[in-house]
Amino acid sequence: MASSPPVTDESLTRWREQSDALTNEEDELSAFSKFADLEDAMEPIEDKITAMVTEIDQAIQQEVDRMRGK
């Protein structure tokens, strides 16, 4: 059974809409609360993206080092 992707078109659309709505929020406490909710929704994929980018960076550096004879 295939697992669902962590980010879908629907989630991206929802996050954009929530982000856009923050610009119209006049109550600072409410805006901060809504921002925190949005950040919480994105955090799990941020961790995965950070790990993936780190792996890519390490692979590139290993290849650079290999080409330099290190």
Side-chain angles (χ1 to χ4, degrees):
M1 180 181 205
S3 63
S4 61
V7 178
T8 63
D9 288 339
E10 291 80 16
S11 59
L12 287 174
T13 299
R14 184 175 58 254
W15 293 341
R16 285 185 186 116
E17 289 170 353
Q18 290 171 331
S19 176
D20 290 343
L22 284 174
T23 63
N24 298 321
E25 183 61 59
E26 293 185 16
D27 178 36
E28 293 173 358
L29 188 55
S30 178
F32 185 77
S33 177
K34 290 176 182 179
F35 174 79
D37 291 342
L38 185 56
E39 178 67 16
D40 287 345
M42 292 180 174
E43 194 167 324
I45 63 164
E46 288 175 345
D47 294 341
K48 291 176 182 178
I49 290 170
T50 298
M52 182 180 65
V53 168
T54 299
E55 287 182 34
I56 292 169
D57 186 54
Q58 289 171 344
I60 290 169
Q61 189 60 53
Q62 284 178 334
E63 184 62 14
V64 169
D65 290 346
R66 185 191 66 76
M67 293 176 75
R68 289 182 175 170
K70 289 185 176 181

